[in-house]
mmCIF file of all heavy atoms in Angstrom:
data_model
loop_
_atom_site.group_PDB
_atom_site.id
_atom_site.type_symbol
_atom_site.label_atom_id
_atom_site.label_comp_id
_atom_site.label_asym_id
_atom_site.label_seq_id
_atom_site.Cartn_x
_atom_site.Cartn_y
_atom_site.Cartn_z
ATOM 1 N N HIS A 150 92.389 235.340 212.571
ATOM 2 C CA HIS A 150 93.754 234.971 212.206
ATOM 3 C C HIS A 150 94.639 236.216 212.189
ATOM 4 O O HIS A 150 94.484 237.081 211.326
ATOM 5 C CB HIS A 150 93.777 234.275 210.845
ATOM 6 C CG HIS A 150 93.105 232.931 210.846
ATOM 7 N ND1 HIS A 150 91.736 232.790 210.730
ATOM 8 C CD2 HIS A 150 93.618 231.675 210.965
ATOM 9 C CE1 HIS A 150 91.428 231.502 210.767
ATOM 10 N NE2 HIS A 150 92.535 230.809 210.907
ATOM 11 N N TYR A 151 95.551 236.286 213.169
ATOM 12 C CA TYR A 151 96.460 237.423 213.297
ATOM 13 C C TYR A 151 97.848 237.038 212.790
ATOM 14 O O TYR A 151 98.308 235.910 213.025
ATOM 15 C CB TYR A 151 96.562 237.866 214.751
ATOM 16 C CG TYR A 151 95.305 238.479 215.300
ATOM 17 C CD1 TYR A 151 94.321 237.689 215.906
ATOM 18 C CD2 TYR A 151 95.088 239.848 215.233
ATOM 19 C CE1 TYR A 151 93.163 238.259 216.413
ATOM 20 C CE2 TYR A 151 93.930 240.432 215.748
ATOM 21 C CZ TYR A 151 92.973 239.622 216.336
ATOM 22 O OH TYR A 151 91.836 240.188 216.836
ATOM 23 N N PRO A 152 98.552 237.935 212.112
ATOM 24 C CA PRO A 152 99.910 237.620 211.655
ATOM 25 C C PRO A 152 100.895 237.609 212.822
ATOM 26 O O PRO A 152 100.836 238.467 213.711
ATOM 27 C CB PRO A 152 100.218 238.761 210.675
ATOM 28 C CG PRO A 152 99.345 239.895 211.111
ATOM 29 C CD PRO A 152 98.104 239.274 211.666
ATOM 30 N N ASP A 153 101.803 236.620 212.814
ATOM 31 C CA ASP A 153 102.849 236.596 213.830
ATOM 32 C C ASP A 153 104.026 237.461 213.371
ATOM 33 O O ASP A 153 103.917 238.201 212.382
ATOM 34 C CB ASP A 153 103.287 235.157 214.139
ATOM 35 C CG ASP A 153 103.853 234.427 212.915
ATOM 36 O OD1 ASP A 153 104.233 235.091 211.921
ATOM 37 O OD2 ASP A 153 103.929 233.184 212.960
ATOM 38 N N ALA A 154 105.157 237.366 214.078
ATOM 39 C CA ALA A 154 106.310 238.211 213.770
ATOM 40 C C ALA A 154 106.839 237.982 212.365
ATOM 41 O O ALA A 154 107.462 238.870 211.770
ATOM 42 C CB ALA A 154 107.412 237.969 214.796
ATOM 43 N N GLU A 155 106.573 236.799 211.797
ATOM 44 C CA GLU A 155 107.037 236.466 210.454
ATOM 45 C C GLU A 155 105.947 236.672 209.403
ATOM 46 O O GLU A 155 106.138 236.321 208.237
ATOM 47 C CB GLU A 155 107.546 235.023 210.422
ATOM 48 C CG GLU A 155 108.755 234.790 211.338
ATOM 49 C CD GLU A 155 109.206 233.346 211.313
ATOM 50 O OE1 GLU A 155 108.477 232.501 210.742
ATOM 51 O OE2 GLU A 155 110.284 233.070 211.874
ATOM 52 N N GLY A 156 104.822 237.213 209.831
ATOM 53 C CA GLY A 156 103.743 237.475 208.889
ATOM 54 C C GLY A 156 102.857 236.283 208.603
ATOM 55 O O GLY A 156 101.992 236.352 207.719
ATOM 56 N N ILE A 157 103.033 235.188 209.332
ATOM 57 C CA ILE A 157 102.222 233.989 209.134
ATOM 58 C C ILE A 157 100.974 234.089 210.000
ATOM 59 O O ILE A 157 101.051 234.377 211.199
ATOM 60 C CB ILE A 157 103.024 232.724 209.494
ATOM 61 C CG1 ILE A 157 104.265 232.614 208.599
ATOM 62 C CG2 ILE A 157 102.152 231.473 209.346
ATOM 63 C CD1 ILE A 157 105.196 231.498 208.997
ATOM 64 N N LEU A 158 99.812 233.873 209.400
ATOM 65 C CA LEU A 158 98.564 234.002 210.133
ATOM 66 C C LEU A 158 98.400 232.875 211.150
ATOM 67 O O LEU A 158 98.555 231.692 210.823
ATOM 68 C CB LEU A 158 97.380 233.996 209.162
ATOM 69 C CG LEU A 158 97.270 235.200 208.209
ATOM 70 C CD1 LEU A 158 96.067 235.032 207.292
ATOM 71 C CD2 LEU A 158 97.174 236.509 208.983
ATOM 72 N N GLN A 159 98.084 233.271 212.378
ATOM 73 C CA GLN A 159 97.873 232.317 213.459
ATOM 74 C C GLN A 159 96.475 232.498 214.035
ATOM 75 O O GLN A 159 96.034 233.629 214.279
ATOM 76 C CB GLN A 159 98.911 232.525 214.568
ATOM 77 C CG GLN A 159 100.356 232.401 214.126
ATOM 78 C CD GLN A 159 100.722 230.973 213.734
ATOM 79 O OE1 GLN A 159 100.017 230.017 214.103
ATOM 80 N NE2 GLN A 159 101.801 230.813 212.976
ATOM 81 N N PRO A 160 95.738 231.387 214.249
ATOM 82 C CA PRO A 160 94.362 231.517 214.736
ATOM 83 C C PRO A 160 94.302 231.853 216.223
ATOM 84 O O PRO A 160 95.095 231.361 217.023
ATOM 85 C CB PRO A 160 93.773 230.127 214.476
ATOM 86 C CG PRO A 160 94.949 229.206 214.527
ATOM 87 C CD PRO A 160 96.105 229.985 213.975
ATOM 88 N N GLN A 161 93.348 232.702 216.571
ATOM 89 C CA GLN A 161 92.985 232.954 217.966
ATOM 90 C C GLN A 161 91.492 232.689 218.091
ATOM 91 O O GLN A 161 90.704 233.221 217.310
ATOM 92 C CB GLN A 161 93.332 234.385 218.383
ATOM 93 C CG GLN A 161 94.813 234.674 218.441
ATOM 94 C CD GLN A 161 95.107 236.045 219.016
ATOM 95 O OE1 GLN A 161 94.222 236.707 219.571
ATOM 96 N NE2 GLN A 161 96.342 236.485 218.896
ATOM 97 N N GLU A 162 91.131 231.879 219.065
ATOM 98 C CA GLU A 162 89.756 231.412 219.168
ATOM 99 C C GLU A 162 89.113 231.822 220.483
ATOM 100 O O GLU A 162 89.791 231.975 221.498
ATOM 101 C CB GLU A 162 89.704 229.887 219.012
ATOM 102 C CG GLU A 162 90.256 229.382 217.684
ATOM 103 C CD GLU A 162 90.236 227.873 217.582
ATOM 104 O OE1 GLU A 162 89.973 227.214 218.609
ATOM 105 O OE2 GLU A 162 90.475 227.354 216.473
ATOM 106 N N MET A 163 87.805 232.008 220.424
ATOM 107 C CA MET A 163 87.009 232.220 221.626
ATOM 108 C C MET A 163 85.651 231.577 221.408
ATOM 109 O O MET A 163 85.198 231.411 220.269
ATOM 110 C CB MET A 163 86.843 233.711 221.930
ATOM 111 C CG MET A 163 86.117 234.507 220.848
ATOM 112 S SD MET A 163 85.779 236.228 221.293
ATOM 113 C CE MET A 163 84.538 236.011 222.563
ATOM 114 N N ALA A 164 84.993 231.168 222.500
ATOM 115 C CA ALA A 164 83.676 230.539 222.385
ATOM 116 C C ALA A 164 82.914 230.711 223.695
ATOM 117 O O ALA A 164 83.515 230.756 224.776
ATOM 118 C CB ALA A 164 83.812 229.055 222.045
ATOM 119 N N PHE A 165 81.596 230.817 223.582
ATOM 120 C CA PHE A 165 80.741 230.870 224.770
ATOM 121 C C PHE A 165 79.311 230.590 224.350
ATOM 122 O O PHE A 165 78.959 230.669 223.164
ATOM 123 C CB PHE A 165 80.848 232.226 225.489
ATOM 124 C CG PHE A 165 80.483 233.415 224.643
ATOM 125 C CD1 PHE A 165 79.167 233.867 224.555
ATOM 126 C CD2 PHE A 165 81.459 234.102 223.928
ATOM 127 C CE1 PHE A 165 78.831 234.963 223.783
ATOM 128 C CE2 PHE A 165 81.134 235.210 223.156
ATOM 129 C CZ PHE A 165 79.808 235.635 223.087
ATOM 130 N N ASP A 166 78.458 230.287 225.330
ATOM 131 C CA ASP A 166 77.035 230.068 225.102
ATOM 132 C C ASP A 166 76.246 231.223 225.720
ATOM 133 O O ASP A 166 76.660 231.813 226.724
ATOM 134 C CB ASP A 166 76.577 228.761 225.741
ATOM 135 C CG ASP A 166 77.123 227.536 225.027
ATOM 136 O OD1 ASP A 166 77.857 227.701 224.027
ATOM 137 O OD2 ASP A 166 76.840 226.412 225.476
ATOM 138 N N PHE A 167 75.104 231.559 225.118
ATOM 139 C CA PHE A 167 74.210 232.541 225.717
ATOM 140 C C PHE A 167 72.774 232.185 225.373
ATOM 141 O O PHE A 167 72.507 231.517 224.366
ATOM 142 C CB PHE A 167 74.559 233.966 225.272
ATOM 143 C CG PHE A 167 74.364 234.241 223.797
ATOM 144 C CD1 PHE A 167 73.217 234.881 223.339
ATOM 145 C CD2 PHE A 167 75.334 233.878 222.864
ATOM 146 C CE1 PHE A 167 73.037 235.152 221.986
ATOM 147 C CE2 PHE A 167 75.163 234.144 221.512
ATOM 148 C CZ PHE A 167 74.009 234.780 221.077
ATOM 149 N N SER A 168 71.844 232.621 226.223
ATOM 150 C CA SER A 168 70.434 232.260 226.041
ATOM 151 C C SER A 168 69.508 233.465 226.091
ATOM 152 O O SER A 168 68.283 233.303 226.125
ATOM 153 C CB SER A 168 70.014 231.243 227.112
ATOM 154 O OG SER A 168 70.246 231.763 228.406
ATOM 155 N N GLU A 169 70.076 234.682 226.085
ATOM 156 C CA GLU A 169 69.276 235.898 226.014
ATOM 157 C C GLU A 169 70.180 237.039 225.577
ATOM 158 O O GLU A 169 71.401 236.974 225.749
ATOM 159 C CB GLU A 169 68.636 236.215 227.366
ATOM 160 C CG GLU A 169 69.630 236.432 228.485
ATOM 161 C CD GLU A 169 68.951 236.679 229.816
ATOM 162 O OE1 GLU A 169 67.703 236.639 229.863
ATOM 163 O OE2 GLU A 169 69.656 236.904 230.806
ATOM 164 N N PRO A 170 69.626 238.098 225.005
ATOM 165 C CA PRO A 170 70.449 239.242 224.637
ATOM 166 C C PRO A 170 71.039 239.896 225.884
ATOM 167 O O PRO A 170 70.492 239.792 226.982
ATOM 168 C CB PRO A 170 69.459 240.188 223.936
ATOM 169 C CG PRO A 170 68.285 239.346 223.586
ATOM 170 C CD PRO A 170 68.216 238.276 224.624
ATOM 171 N N SER A 171 72.156 240.576 225.721
ATOM 172 C CA SER A 171 72.754 241.291 226.836
ATOM 173 C C SER A 171 71.899 242.508 227.192
ATOM 174 O O SER A 171 71.078 242.969 226.377
ATOM 175 C CB SER A 171 74.169 241.749 226.475
ATOM 176 O OG SER A 171 74.118 242.874 225.616
ATOM 177 N N PRO A 172 72.055 243.084 228.392
ATOM 178 C CA PRO A 172 71.260 244.263 228.766
ATOM 179 C C PRO A 172 71.474 245.458 227.847
ATOM 180 O O PRO A 172 70.614 246.338 227.761
ATOM 181 C CB PRO A 172 71.745 244.565 230.195
ATOM 182 C CG PRO A 172 72.296 243.281 230.700
ATOM 183 C CD PRO A 172 72.888 242.602 229.514
ATOM 184 N N GLY A 173 72.612 245.492 227.143
ATOM 185 C CA GLY A 173 72.894 246.615 226.255
ATOM 186 C C GLY A 173 72.496 246.386 224.815
ATOM 187 O O GLY A 173 72.906 247.157 223.938
ATOM 188 N N ALA A 174 71.692 245.329 224.558
ATOM 189 C CA ALA A 174 71.363 244.957 223.175
ATOM 190 C C ALA A 174 69.866 245.029 222.914
ATOM 191 O O ALA A 174 69.052 244.726 223.779
ATOM 192 C CB ALA A 174 71.870 243.555 222.866
ATOM 193 N N ILE A 175 69.520 245.415 221.690
ATOM 194 C CA ILE A 175 68.153 245.318 221.170
ATOM 195 C C ILE A 175 68.245 244.784 219.747
ATOM 196 O O ILE A 175 69.124 245.196 218.975
ATOM 197 C CB ILE A 175 67.431 246.681 221.188
ATOM 198 C CG1 ILE A 175 67.108 247.103 222.623
ATOM 199 C CG2 ILE A 175 66.151 246.629 220.362
ATOM 200 C CD1 ILE A 175 66.442 248.479 222.729
ATOM 201 N N PHE A 176 67.333 243.864 219.400
ATOM 202 C CA PHE A 176 67.298 243.240 218.087
ATOM 203 C C PHE A 176 66.004 243.591 217.368
ATOM 204 O O PHE A 176 64.989 243.909 217.994
ATOM 205 C CB PHE A 176 67.388 241.710 218.221
ATOM 206 C CG PHE A 176 68.768 241.198 218.554
ATOM 207 C CD1 PHE A 176 69.309 241.378 219.820
ATOM 208 C CD2 PHE A 176 69.527 240.541 217.600
ATOM 209 C CE1 PHE A 176 70.573 240.913 220.136
ATOM 210 C CE2 PHE A 176 70.792 240.066 217.905
ATOM 211 C CZ PHE A 176 71.315 240.256 219.170
ATOM 212 N N PHE A 177 66.069 243.483 216.019
ATOM 213 C CA PHE A 177 64.897 243.719 215.177
ATOM 214 C C PHE A 177 64.621 242.475 214.346
ATOM 215 O O PHE A 177 65.426 241.539 214.303
ATOM 216 C CB PHE A 177 65.113 244.944 214.295
ATOM 217 C CG PHE A 177 65.195 246.224 215.088
ATOM 218 C CD1 PHE A 177 66.419 246.696 215.549
ATOM 219 C CD2 PHE A 177 64.048 246.941 215.396
ATOM 220 C CE1 PHE A 177 66.498 247.860 216.296
ATOM 221 C CE2 PHE A 177 64.109 248.106 216.137
ATOM 222 C CZ PHE A 177 65.335 248.564 216.597
ATOM 223 N N GLU A 178 63.478 242.460 213.664
ATOM 224 C CA GLU A 178 62.986 241.228 213.039
ATOM 225 C C GLU A 178 63.870 240.727 211.905
ATOM 226 O O GLU A 178 63.855 239.548 211.577
ATOM 227 C CB GLU A 178 61.539 241.417 212.566
ATOM 228 C CG GLU A 178 60.582 241.657 213.723
ATOM 229 C CD GLU A 178 59.147 241.338 213.367
ATOM 230 O OE1 GLU A 178 58.889 240.880 212.243
ATOM 231 O OE2 GLU A 178 58.271 241.546 214.225
ATOM 232 N N THR A 179 64.643 241.602 211.253
ATOM 233 C CA THR A 179 65.557 241.162 210.196
ATOM 234 C C THR A 179 66.798 240.489 210.753
ATOM 235 O O THR A 179 67.586 239.915 210.003
ATOM 236 C CB THR A 179 66.007 242.355 209.346
ATOM 237 O OG1 THR A 179 66.749 243.265 210.184
ATOM 238 C CG2 THR A 179 64.830 243.072 208.720
ATOM 239 N N GLY A 180 67.019 240.588 212.066
ATOM 240 C CA GLY A 180 68.275 240.160 212.680
ATOM 241 C C GLY A 180 69.198 241.320 212.979
ATOM 242 O O GLY A 180 70.224 241.150 213.642
ATOM 243 N N ALA A 181 68.863 242.520 212.488
ATOM 244 C CA ALA A 181 69.669 243.703 212.796
ATOM 245 C C ALA A 181 69.641 243.961 214.299
ATOM 246 O O ALA A 181 68.650 243.694 214.973
ATOM 247 C CB ALA A 181 69.133 244.923 212.050
ATOM 248 N N PHE A 182 70.753 244.500 214.812
ATOM 249 C CA PHE A 182 70.809 244.776 216.250
ATOM 250 C C PHE A 182 71.895 245.796 216.556
ATOM 251 O O PHE A 182 72.742 246.119 215.722
ATOM 252 C CB PHE A 182 71.076 243.495 217.054
ATOM 253 C CG PHE A 182 72.454 242.896 216.870
ATOM 254 C CD1 PHE A 182 73.517 243.274 217.684
ATOM 255 C CD2 PHE A 182 72.691 241.934 215.890
ATOM 256 C CE1 PHE A 182 74.777 242.711 217.528
ATOM 257 C CE2 PHE A 182 73.950 241.368 215.726
ATOM 258 C CZ PHE A 182 74.992 241.756 216.541
ATOM 259 N N SER A 183 71.851 246.291 217.774
ATOM 260 C CA SER A 183 72.950 247.074 218.326
ATOM 261 C C SER A 183 73.171 246.625 219.761
ATOM 262 O O SER A 183 72.200 246.400 220.503
ATOM 263 C CB SER A 183 72.665 248.571 218.280
ATOM 264 O OG SER A 183 73.717 249.304 218.888
ATOM 265 N N GLU A 184 74.439 246.512 220.132
ATOM 266 C CA GLU A 184 74.815 246.109 221.490
ATOM 267 C C GLU A 184 75.951 247.006 221.944
ATOM 268 O O GLU A 184 76.911 247.225 221.201
ATOM 269 C CB GLU A 184 75.263 244.649 221.506
ATOM 270 C CG GLU A 184 75.701 244.156 222.867
ATOM 271 C CD GLU A 184 76.051 242.675 222.860
ATOM 272 O OE1 GLU A 184 76.226 242.118 221.758
ATOM 273 O OE2 GLU A 184 76.150 242.092 223.945
ATOM 274 N N GLY A 185 75.848 247.556 223.139
ATOM 275 C CA GLY A 185 76.915 248.442 223.585
ATOM 276 C C GLY A 185 76.682 249.013 224.953
ATOM 277 O O GLY A 185 75.915 248.475 225.759
ATOM 278 N N SER A 186 77.332 250.147 225.196
ATOM 279 C CA SER A 186 77.268 250.802 226.502
ATOM 280 C C SER A 186 75.837 251.201 226.828
ATOM 281 O O SER A 186 75.131 251.760 225.988
ATOM 282 C CB SER A 186 78.152 252.043 226.502
ATOM 283 O OG SER A 186 79.480 251.736 226.106
ATOM 284 N N ILE A 187 75.406 250.934 228.073
ATOM 285 C CA ILE A 187 74.082 251.383 228.505
ATOM 286 C C ILE A 187 74.167 252.778 229.119
ATOM 287 O O ILE A 187 73.152 253.443 229.305
ATOM 288 C CB ILE A 187 73.429 250.390 229.483
ATOM 289 C CG1 ILE A 187 74.289 250.205 230.734
ATOM 290 C CG2 ILE A 187 73.193 249.057 228.799
ATOM 291 C CD1 ILE A 187 73.615 249.348 231.801
ATOM 292 N N SER A 188 75.392 253.216 229.429
ATOM 293 C CA SER A 188 75.594 254.595 229.877
ATOM 294 C C SER A 188 77.017 255.002 229.548
ATOM 295 O O SER A 188 77.909 254.157 229.464
ATOM 296 C CB SER A 188 75.335 254.740 231.383
ATOM 297 O OG SER A 188 76.254 253.965 232.128
#
């Protein structure tokens, strides 16, 4: 929710599906992870 010119919060939405981690991501058993630049 970003504020507009009058300071009123307006929603911005995004959505997608995925079925595997990205090439730049590694996960651990607690759910901790890092995802980012591979170079």
